Amino acid sequence: MNAPVRQTQAEVLSRLYSLKLAQIEQATHQGNSLRSQVLEAEAEAIFNALKLAR
């Protein structure tokens, strides 16, 4: 029963990570370096959670 839950969690985290990367690209394009740094830290946390979920 844990396998489907982990897969679902990994899928959600993967989607969040993709969205976060898009936000980083947008902030970088707008020249908002502070926002980019915050978003990069958030993306790293999501990525680390994703590695643990897989």
Side-chain angles (χ1 to χ4, degrees):
M1 184 168 172
N2 282 344
V5 172
R6 283 198 181 117
Q7 184 179 11
T8 301
Q9 184 181 20
E11 289 171 359
V12 169
L13 288 169
S14 180
R15 179 75 175 132
L16 285 173
Y17 185 69
S18 294
L19 292 171
K20 194 60 63 178
L21 292 179
Q23 288 178 324
I24 292 169
E25 184 177 336
Q26 183 181 25
T28 301
H29 180 69
Q30 293 173 345
N32 193 337
S33 63
L34 180 58
R35 179 158 168 78
S36 294
Q37 290 174 356
V38 171
L39 292 169
E40 287 171 8
E42 292 173 353
E44 183 178 357
I46 294 168
F47 182 74
N48 290 336
L50 183 57
K51 287 192 297 187
L52 291 174
R54 289 187 176 171

